[in-house]
Every structure is written in C-alpha cells, then in structure tokens.
Amino acid sequence: MIGIVNYGAGNLQSVKNSLDFLSIPNIVINKSEEIKNCDRLILPGVGAFGPAMKKLNKLGFSQEIKNFVGQKKPILGICLGMQLLFEVSEELGSHQGLGLIKGKVLPLNKKVKDLPIPHIGWNNIIMKKSSPLLKNIEDGSCFYFNHSFYCEPVDELAVTADADYYIKISSVVEKDNVYGCQFHPEKSQSRGLTLLDNFQKLI
Amino acid sequence: MIKIRLIPVLYIKNGLIVRSENFSYHQNIGNVINEASRYNEWNVDELIYIDISREKCYDLRRDDLYIKSHDSIEKIISEIAKVCFMPLTIGGGVRNINDISYRIKNGADKITLNTGAFEHPKLISQAANKFGSQCVVISVDYKIIDNQPIVFTNFGQKNTKTTAFSWIKICENLGAGEIFLNSIDRDGRANGYDIDTISRVVESTKLPVVACGGAGGLYDFVNLAKKVNISAIAAGNIFHFTELSYPRAKILLKKEKLNFR
C-alpha cells in the first residue's frame, strides 16, 4: 500500500489519479499515525518550502516520516516533495528540511543565465547510474519540470539523473531507500507512469 | 535541453468547450472530459483550460453529469485530471486564494490569473507564497493601440490603459511564474501570431512566455518558433477543427529541426 502524504500544500490528487490508473493500491494519509499502515510513501509537491515544512511539523508528519525511513521502507519525494527530503532550503528565507539526504535547496536564479525562470516544461534526463526506479526508461527521456529551486546534494553519488538547464539540475536522487524526482512523474505521460510503477515494485 | 511546448487551449463556457473569436463569438463544440481524453491520447505537452462562463452554471452534457452550483468547476477539473497525465493549467474566474486552492486540490497544476490579478495584484504574491511561483500564470489579454500592446481585463472588455510590458514587470516582481500572452485582435482569426509583440514581450521579461492567438496553419507554429525564443506556443481552434492537427504539427516542427518533444 502506497501512502500519499496529505500536508495541505501538494497536488496529491494528480498523484492519486496516476496510481489509480495503474491499479496500484494507495491511500491518502491525512493523519501522521496512518503512515505505519503503509509499506511505501509518496511525498507530493506543489507549493513553497517554508509553509510545507511548517505543515509537516505541525501535523506530526516529519517525525513519522523519519521513523518510516528508519525502517528501510521506500519513500519518493516529488518536486517540492524531493526538496523537502534535503537538510535546508533558501526559498524565501532559510528553512530546515527533513534532512534525509544531505544537501541544500537553492534558487535557480542565482546560477541560471539567459533562460527563463522558473524552469517549466519538458526536459531530457541524463542518467548517471542505473536505478530500479528508472527501469525501462531510456536515457534522454523527457519529463515535465516546474520549479524555481533546485537540490544540491553533498554526495554526488546521490544523483541518479541530471537535467541540463544552464546548470546541471539533480532530477532524480536516491540515498538507500529515499528517492526523489524533481520533475512530475504524474504529469509526464507514459514514462512518468513507468517510474511510478517502478516505485511500486521496489524491493 | 528544455523543449518548446505546444499547448492546446480549451475554452469552457457553462461546462462545454467552445470556439472563441475576438473574445465574443462562442460556438459550442464539445464535451470537456471527452476532449481532455482525446488530447491525452495525442500525448500533448500540456493543456490550458480557461473558463469563460459569464454566469456560473455548468453542464457537462452527454456525460450525464448535470451540475449546477457555484463551485462545480472543481468537479470539471477533477474529471479532467482523471484522464490527463499531463500538466493542466486552469484559468477563468479566479479571484481569491480559495479559488486557487480548490482548483489545485482537484488536480490543476497551475492556475491563470487575469482580471483577479489586475484588480488585486496582492493575489499574485499571496498565491506565489502559498503554492510557489511555478504555479502562478498571469494571463495577459492585449489589443494593439497606437503601436503598443495594451492590457484588457474582464473578458477583454475593459481597457486598463497599461502596456503589457509594464504590467508583466509588476507581475514578475510580485512572484508570478509564467506569462500567457493572448492577442485579442487575433483570437480566432487564423491570421498568424503577432510575432512583433511576442518578441518584444519575451525580451522584456525573464519569465517563460506562452504565446497565443492567431494560429491558422501549422506553419504559423514553425514561423513563431523560428523567429522568437519562445517557451511555449498555444492555440485553440486549430486543434479542434483541423484533423490530427496536433500530431501533424509535432511532426512538422521536428522536421524543421525545432526543439520540440
């Protein structure tokens, strides 16, 4: 059973629709104690880092998610959900994240020149290593991105795939059982659905 | 490398898809949900829905869903989102943060603000703070007056006496994430994109610009993509009335070696 964390800010309905379409059992998690009924979690994401983290803390999700990850069960953060996995973000001030992956979340506009910001649209991913999450997805596949901030992991080996947008953007990260994608698989047509299906099949 | 997006725009009036011309003539052409699933099969880059209902009353005919209430756009969005695994932008009638919240909650990825933003610019920063800039699209309808693109609100009827450039700058500073630029003069006229204005707007802002209004043939897309460093090209009528126009457009754009998906 995949639990989709409802912390008020995400567009979790789209994630749910994709899982329903794939006939993957899933449940929207409204209360932190429900997390223990799941064997994997998705942290969806639309929104701003600060308010999202505040909500996760207030609703008791932060601690439950950390416990969940401590039990070696897989979690997938999507877009903002991936950014929340990191230690700290500089989105409108400085905010502590969940700290499940070492590194920072930084604004694109400090580094990216001559390209529009936010980074919106379909971009190719460049695979750095193989991963069960990207099984049956060819290198160079297009996914839908929509973000103004990007993740900078301390450990380069945590980057499974990049995307090129003036700088290299970490588009898929993984650290043991913690996974994140900066793009929206639930909005990336068939390849996105493949990724979600792969997540369901992770051992 | 980021791709240029090609985006069908669908206008919803009282729950039905309509064809629009000069922002005033509207012809019913289809069911909202069926159209969405057709576009999903065509593997489109994104869909933009603009609700232009004057009176809030929805009728999804032919699907046997009769809904008449003020908030039923959320029902429409949630039905669309079930058959669409692509980005969904929803606009029309968005006046406050609640309007935005329930659209997003039901499956919209981005919302467009037009009259609501012009009347209450603060709404832009509120929305950006709560949902992130990336989901706040400013829809800018303009007419050319004395060689300047002038912004019109309220279904293209109210002259704001403000140029598109200065309004877009204000929106950018308030935290908007994208500009949907629509030429009222060219709406439904099929006489080609307003390359001159689009190009000036793209140069004036760092936000991605989606250009709309005037596509009459597939070469209008090629022409715009070759001449302007555009983020996305949108069109309405051509995708409804020309057989297989979307897949054919993509084939043509790739043949022309333009950077599309």
Side-chain angles (χ1 to χ4, degrees), chain A residues 66-189:
Chain A
K66 285 177 197 166
N67 296 346
F68 183 90
V69 168
Q71 293 160 18
K72 301 287 165 213
K73 294 179 193 167
I75 181 170
L76 173 67
I78 296 174
C79 195
L80 173 68
M82 156 165 154
Q83 298 179 356
L84 295 169
L85 302 173
F86 283 77
E87 292 172 299
V88 64
S89 166
E90 291 181 9
E91 180 168 359
L92 309 166
S94 179
H95 306 277
Q96 270 328 101
L98 292 167
L100 298 167
I101 298 180
K102 283 205 165 74
K104 290 188 276 196
V105 182
L106 301 165
L108 285 170
N109 65 12
K110 281 203 182 145
K111 289 274 180 70
V112 175
K113 308 273 179 248
D114 305 323
L115 283 171
I117 290 172
H119 172 215
I120 300 183
W122 296 79
N123 206 339
N124 313 86
I125 61 164
I126 305 149
M127 294 186 190
K128 296 281 155 194
K129 58 180 186 192
S130 67
S131 160
L133 194 64
L134 298 178
K135 200 182 158 204
N136 296 327
I137 295 171
E138 321 81 87
D139 194 10
S141 293
C142 277
F143 287 90
Y144 182 75
F145 289 80
N146 191 4
H147 62 117
S148 314
F149 290 78
Y150 70 100
C151 299
E152 199 174 74
V154 171
D155 180 5
E156 250 183 69
L157 290 172
V159 181
T160 306
D162 276 332
D164 187 11
Y165 197 68
Y166 191 86
I167 55 168
K168 293 266 177 273
I169 290 173
S170 303
S171 53
V172 180
V173 294
E174 67 183 86
K175 180 80 184 142
D176 304 322
N177 52 326
V178 180
Y179 298 82
C181 48
Q182 183 59 69
F183 50 77
H184 287 274
E186 78 285 9
K187 290 288 163 183
S188 296
Q189 304 272 23

Side-chain angles (χ1 to χ4, degrees), chain A residues 11 13-14 17-18 21 46-48 51 92 116-120 122-124 142 144 146 165 186-189, chain B residues 1-3 5 40 43-45 81-82 85-87 105 107 109-110 129 131 134 177 206-208 231 261:
Chain A
N11 68 331
Q13 192 56 45
S14 305
N17 288 340
S18 315
F21 180 79
V46 165
L92 309 166
I117 290 172
H119 172 215
I120 300 183
W122 296 79
N123 206 339
N124 313 86
C142 277
Y144 182 75
N146 191 4
Y165 197 68
E186 78 285 9
K187 290 288 163 183
S188 296
Q189 304 272 23
Chain B
M1 194 158 90
I2 189 92
K3 310 292 176 199
R5 284 164 286 154
N40 194 57
N43 197 8
V44 302
D45 294 331
K82 277 181 203 158
F85 304 108
M86 91 269 287
K105 207 178 105 202
D109 300 292
K110 301 186 262 188
N129 286 337
F131 301 103
Q134 81 293 327
K206 70 176 178 24
L207 297 177
S231 294
R261 182 170 73 101

Side-chain angles (χ1 to χ4, degrees), chain B residues 25-43:
Chain B
Y25 171 73
H26 300 126
Q27 174 195 1
N28 286 347
I29 54 175
N31 171 284
V32 178
I33 319 299
N34 295 348
E35 291 293 302
S37 90
R38 179 165 68 100
Y39 285 114
N40 194 57
E41 280 161 23
W42 281 355
N43 197 8

Side-chain angles (χ1 to χ4, degrees), chain B residues 93-112:
Chain B
V94 181
R95 293 291 184 274
N96 55 51
I97 204 86
N98 280 342
D99 289 343
I100 300 172
S101 287
Y102 71 70
R103 280 165 175 79
I104 288 176
K105 207 178 105 202
N106 283 285
D109 300 292
K110 301 186 262 188
I111 49 90
T112 73

